[in-house]
Amino acid sequence: MTQRPYVIDEMISAKAIAARVEALCREIHDEFVGTDKLIVVGLLRGSFVFIADLVRELDLPIEVDFLEASSYGNAQHSSREVRILKDLRGAIAGRDVLVVEDIVDTGHTLNHVMGLLRSRKPARLKSIALLNKPSRREVDFRADWIGFEIPDEFVVGYGIDYAQRNRNLPYIGKVRFTE
Ligand code: PRP
């Protein structure tokens, strides 16, 4: 696929993200302090940078697991189908679970994943998303913690890709097409 030429304008700096991660971790710590059964679950692939920063900032005894989901549009039914491409390695019944996502857009992915994990009867199930695009929401879902509310812009970096590129940018940038 040929890509339209584009540039990336910085939208949220690495410094602003680090400060927000620190603040979020204080709140998460207050929520989970005292438990020794917390599993932090990253949704692949977009969350890999965020979860790496979160768990290193979180002074709690934790386990880490990953899950990969993919959502496909279904034009016929004007709905989306979410499929699990890689499930968790471990059981979560009776455990405390924090699901980490990079961005909530239509809400289908995280809404589906939370429903699935809830059915496995964890003791506590919470979610955190670095970015939230409320204007794009198609299902009634809100993460328990949100890093930043953003407008409907095409964003990349800090784990988020455009055609699989730019995940390694240390900041969140906005894609601007030049042609
Ligand atoms: C992106 C993002 C979220 C999802 C959000 O994942 O990482 O998981 O879309 O969209 P939604 O709220 O509309 O469901 P993507 O499928 O691009 O995969 P990736 O994480 O591997 O980049």
Side-chain angles (χ1 to χ4, degrees):
M1 187 174 103
T2 30
Q3 301 294 332
R4 285 167 66 195
Y6 64 93
V7 294
I8 297 169
D9 300 323
E10 187 174 286
M11 192 179 176
I12 307 172
S13 69
K15 206 173 155 187
I17 296 170
R20 189 69 189 119
V21 166
E22 230 184 279
L24 287 165
C25 282
R26 281 196 293 272
E27 294 182 23
I28 294 168
H29 184 275
D30 289 350
E31 171 69 32
F32 290 107
V33 68
T35 182
D36 62 351
K37 53 181 185 179
L38 176 60
I39 307 179
V40 182
V41 171
L43 297 198
L44 295 170
R45 286 168 273 184
S47 73
F48 78 103
V49 177
F50 186 34
I51 192 174
D53 280 350
L54 271 184
V55 296
R56 285 179 297 170
E57 189 63 36
L58 213 49
D59 187 17
L60 290 173
I62 62 158
E63 292 176 26
V64 175
D65 205 341
F66 292 95
L67 185 144
E68 185 170 10
S70 196
S71 111
Y72 300 87
N74 183 335
Q76 247 180 339
H77 299 96
S78 66
S79 64
R80 290 188 80 80
E81 186 187 341
V82 180
R83 284 189 216 151
I84 303 302
L85 303 181
K86 183 216 165 295
D87 207 338
L88 298 176
R89 289 279 291 273
I92 57 166
R95 306 287 301 265
D96 290 329
V97 177
L98 174 66
V99 178
V100 180
E101 178 62 298
D102 53 344
I103 183 164
V104 181
D105 192 340
T106 64
H108 288 286
T109 305
L110 199 48
N111 189 50
H112 179 89
V113 167
M114 294 301 276
L116 173 73
L117 298 186
R118 199 169 294 117
S119 73
R120 298 178 184 177
K121 309 270 185 265
R124 209 172 348 172
L125 179 62
K126 300 279 183 187
S127 61
I128 179 169
L130 179 72
L131 303 178
N132 187 36
K133 270 189 191 175
S135 62
R136 293 262 307 161
R137 200 67 93 253
E138 292 177 10
V139 293
D140 185 18
F141 178 85
R142 189 175 165 85
D144 295 291
W145 291 281
I146 286 164
F148 302 91
E149 303 273 359
I150 59 165
D152 187 14
E153 300 282 3
F154 197 157
V155 291
V156 292
Y158 200 72
I160 302 172
D161 72 304
Y162 170 44
Q164 299 308 327
R165 298 288 174 88
N166 305 302
R167 291 191 196 270
N168 56 328
L169 291 176
Y171 55 87
I172 297 288
K174 186 162 90 177
V175 171
R176 180 162 50 87
F177 294 99
T178 48
E179 274 177 20

